[in-house]
Amino acid sequence: VHIDEIFLDNAEMHVLVNENGEANYNIYKGSASSKQTNTDAAGTSLKLEKISIDNSHIIYDDRSLPMLIDAMGFNYEGNGDLSKSIFELYSSIKIDSVDFSFNKEQYLPNKKVNADLITKINTNSFAFIFQKNNLMINKLPVQFTGKLDFLKNGYDLDFKVNSDNSDLDDFVTALPPQYITWQKNATIKGRTDLFLS
């Protein structure tokens, strides 16, 4: 099997993870008595020249954290040599509207996101290293680096987010609405530096 390109248009994707960390995409269950061999590995190749997702709706609902991400108008283009156990995935993402909630508290409701990303992925340990990630959240430019490791019963997260010499009004547009009810009645001027770790 040789796969060059994958295209999804107007897709509906709903990823569910229950309270025990069991995900709806993890559907294969191997037999305890079966022995795995690498005899078929040479016959399968996933060297993608392009992954394209257009105008799709993605929901990631992880109740083990609990975290919810709801992305409408999700557009993605990416490529990478997935035949290697460690590879770099080059991505361009545009999202018309993304909502991010943690523990039922909304942090990023209805935000536009544009991103150019380089992500190193280790398929053996299922680890992601975010090497270069330039994002635009509404009008706020953000640089994002770090790592995400999927553990047997949880996650290992280490993220750094910064925005240097940004317009203060652009910064305010990225904040949760419950903290900026006064914004529409105010004029905001100035520059700001942001660093989160």
Side-chain angles (χ1 to χ4, degrees):
V1 177
H2 183 80
I3 300 173
D4 294 311
E5 299 179 341
I6 295 174
F7 296 93
L8 294 171
D9 290 322
N10 299 304
E12 288 281 339
M13 293 174 260
H14 198 154
V15 178
L16 293 169
V17 181
N18 68 15
E19 290 82 357
N20 299 322
E22 299 162 332
N24 66 343
Y25 57 81
N26 194 5
I27 58 171
Y28 178 79
K29 186 173 183 178
S31 168
S33 61
S34 67
K35 293 182 180 177
Q36 292 188 355
T37 63
N38 290 327
T39 55
D40 294 332
T44 304
S45 173
L46 193 59
K47 190 169 184 176
L48 287 172
E49 294 172 13
K50 186 175 185 181
I51 305 169
S52 178
I53 303 172
D54 288 323
N55 195 34
S56 294
H57 181 200
I58 298 175
I59 297 173
Y60 179 79
D61 185 358
D62 190 335
R63 295 177 186 176
S64 67
L65 290 177
M67 179 177 73
L68 176 69
I69 299 171
D70 189 347
M72 297 282 295
F74 184 89
N75 299 280
Y76 174 89
E77 279 197 17
N79 62 70
D81 187 353
L82 278 69
S83 64
K84 297 179 180 177
S85 59
I86 300 174
F87 64 93
E88 288 183 341
L89 182 65
Y90 298 85
S91 307
S92 177
I93 300 171
K94 291 185 178 176
I95 307 172
D96 293 339
S97 172
V98 65
D99 294 347
F100 172 79
S101 301
F102 183 78
N103 202 20
K104 298 183 181 178
E105 181 80 27
Q106 264 197 330
Y107 288 95
L108 290 176
N110 195 27
K111 302 297 182 188
K112 279 188 175 182
V113 174
N114 290 320
D116 289 311
L117 318 172
I118 300 175
T119 308
K120 184 177 281 185
I121 301 173
N122 184 330
T123 57
N124 293 326
S125 63
F126 209 48
F128 296 82
I129 299 172
F130 303 98
Q131 298 177 160
K132 178 191 171 198
N133 299 285
N134 297 320
L135 291 89
M136 187 76 73
I137 302 173
N138 276 0
K139 296 183 282 182
L140 179 70
V142 175
Q143 290 77 45
F144 171 80
T145 58
K147 69 167 187 166
L148 166 61
D149 288 334
F150 286 84
L151 307 176
K152 185 177 179 182
N153 292 313
Y155 307 91
D156 180 18
L157 309 168
D158 182 13
F159 297 136
K160 292 177 178 62
V161 178
N162 68 290
S163 182
D164 297 327
N165 195 26
S166 300
D167 186 275
L168 188 57
D169 190 52
D170 293 345
F171 168 73
V172 171
T173 68
L175 293 173
Q178 63 266 35
Y179 299 120
I180 52 169
T181 55
W182 47 267
Q183 180 196 15
K184 58 188 169 197
N185 299 321
T187 300
I188 303 167
K189 293 182 180 179
R191 310 298 295 176
T192 186
D193 292 337
L194 163 71
F195 180 76
L196 300 172
S197 175

